[in-house]
Amino acid sequence: LRCLDLSQVDSLPIYEEVQIALAASNMDPDELEDEEEMVEVSGQPKEEIRSEKVKTNQYDDVIAAPRSSIDRSKLSTKKQDFQVRVNIHEGRKLLGGNIHPVCNVHVGKQSKHTRVQKSTNKPLWDEVLFFDFNCSALDLCDEPVTIEVLNSRKIRSDSLIGAFKFDLGLVYESQDHQFVHKWVLLTDPEDKESGAKGYVKISISILGPGDKLKIPPKSSSTDDLVDIESNLLRPAGVQLQPATYTVKIYKAEDVPKMDTDYFEGMKRVLRMQHGDHDLVDPYMIVSFAGKKLKTKVLYKTYTPEWAQELNIGVQMPSMCEQLMLRLMDKDHFNRDD
């Protein structure tokens, strides 16, 4: 700050007083335009009102998923009976060794839990928990949901593995007011930068008066073929580690004949096949976490040699556990075999 002779300030107009104050702080008068509402005529700043978040439970500080964008003004304020059904399907990649995971679900002030699964990092619960509410749709959408997984211990208290929190409005604004086979990423409430602690697959349905439940399909081994990463709910600000899987495809041997005699004749008529040439046009498809890449097609060979490298971008840790390789035959008249 520059030193000023304040004995001369009383004799100056208010405008010049403000100019002197700006000069003392090295501010441009144009920078004060945004602050005009906070300055009175006397030049004394008004007291700024700051609001502080009231902590209601230990999970208020969990990095949560983005709140729903539903227009609350269109929701009914009339009290009705609602039922929230939470289906806990399974967990994967849970952090820890020789753990006994149990899943606790908190919806509003109600809490329920699944059975304990013994000694596994990949528990299969497949349980449905019911929560009943008598409130308006507006109030229901503000109810918080917390999914937490703990390591069950007999002597000591259960230890938290990870948790995920969101509000019911996120479910209510979805199609048919339900989540179907959504994966949620668990994090540690005490250490938000420690990364992923595991994943849990859930389905949630909100039933109001007159609503009919659409039962979600059961989990199957083919679920890894869908795009898991696009079906993942993760806390805002939590970044997964990008990685690349490199699959090198060299060659194949003894590829069986795929085209029937009928298609063989068609190819010869159209001059697409001559003499006793091979009838196989092989290529490879690599599938992982819903992503598919394929090699080039090699025509008329039973022993293709691709010598090709396929790179699949993924987010780590990934809950996908299956890498599928498929050998295909290119067909011009029918679906590829």
Side-chain angles (χ1 to χ4, degrees), residues 121-189:
N121 294 80
K122 186 184 175 183
L124 182 62
W125 290 292
D126 200 17
E127 296 184 41
V128 182
L129 307 177
F130 300 90
F131 301 86
D132 296 321
F133 292 88
N134 180 259
C135 61
S136 65
L138 180 63
D139 293 335
L140 183 70
C141 289
D142 288 330
E143 293 290 349
V145 180
T146 301
I147 309 292
E148 60 178 10
V149 176
L150 299 96
N151 180 19
S152 179
R153 297 183 290 195
K154 293 183 178 179
I155 300 177
R156 295 175 293 174
S157 59
D158 296 348
S159 61
L160 179 68
I161 297 175
F164 182 82
K165 185 177 180 181
F166 58 97
D167 60 62
L168 276 179
L170 205 62
V171 182
Y172 196 84
E173 70 179 5
S174 302
Q175 184 178 1
D176 299 322
H177 305 319
Q178 64 178 171
F179 280 167
V180 178
H181 291 177
K182 290 285 188 181
W183 287 95
V184 298
L185 187 149
L186 305 176
T187 55
D188 184 358

Side-chain angles (χ1 to χ4, degrees), residues 36-166:
E36 286 180 355
E37 295 182 358
M38 297 184 59
V39 180
E40 295 180 342
V41 178
S42 62
Q44 296 296 327
K46 292 182 179 179
E47 182 179 358
E48 184 178 356
I49 301 176
R50 299 180 180 178
S51 59
E52 296 183 358
K53 182 179 177 182
V54 179
K55 189 173 181 179
T56 57
N57 59 63
Q58 59 176 328
Y59 296 111
D60 276 350
D61 291 334
V62 177
I63 303 179
R67 290 180 59 87
S68 63
S69 58
I70 189 171
D71 187 359
R72 299 293 208 272
S73 62
K74 296 181 180 179
L75 296 178
S76 173
T77 57
K78 179 182 177 181
K79 284 191 174 183
Q80 304 176 72
D81 290 327
F82 291 95
Q83 185 176 79
V84 179
R85 299 186 179 188
V86 182
N87 192 334
I88 305 297
H89 298 287
E90 61 176 306
R92 288 188 187 178
K93 306 288 186 179
L94 299 182
L95 191 65
N98 192 27
I99 59 175
H100 310 299
V102 58
C103 185
N104 289 355
V105 180
H106 308 276
V107 182
K109 297 181 180 179
Q110 304 180 46
S111 300
K112 295 184 179 181
H113 61 84
T114 64
R115 296 187 299 270
V116 178
Q117 300 294 316
K118 298 292 185 180
S119 301
T120 177
N121 294 80
K122 186 184 175 183
L124 182 62
W125 290 292
D126 200 17
E127 296 184 41
V128 182
L129 307 177
F130 300 90
F131 301 86
D132 296 321
F133 292 88
N134 180 259
C135 61
S136 65
L138 180 63
D139 293 335
L140 183 70
C141 289
D142 288 330
E143 293 290 349
V145 180
T146 301
I147 309 292
E148 60 178 10
V149 176
L150 299 96
N151 180 19
S152 179
R153 297 183 290 195
K154 293 183 178 179
I155 300 177
R156 295 175 293 174
S157 59
D158 296 348
S159 61
L160 179 68
I161 297 175
F164 182 82
K165 185 177 180 181
F166 58 97

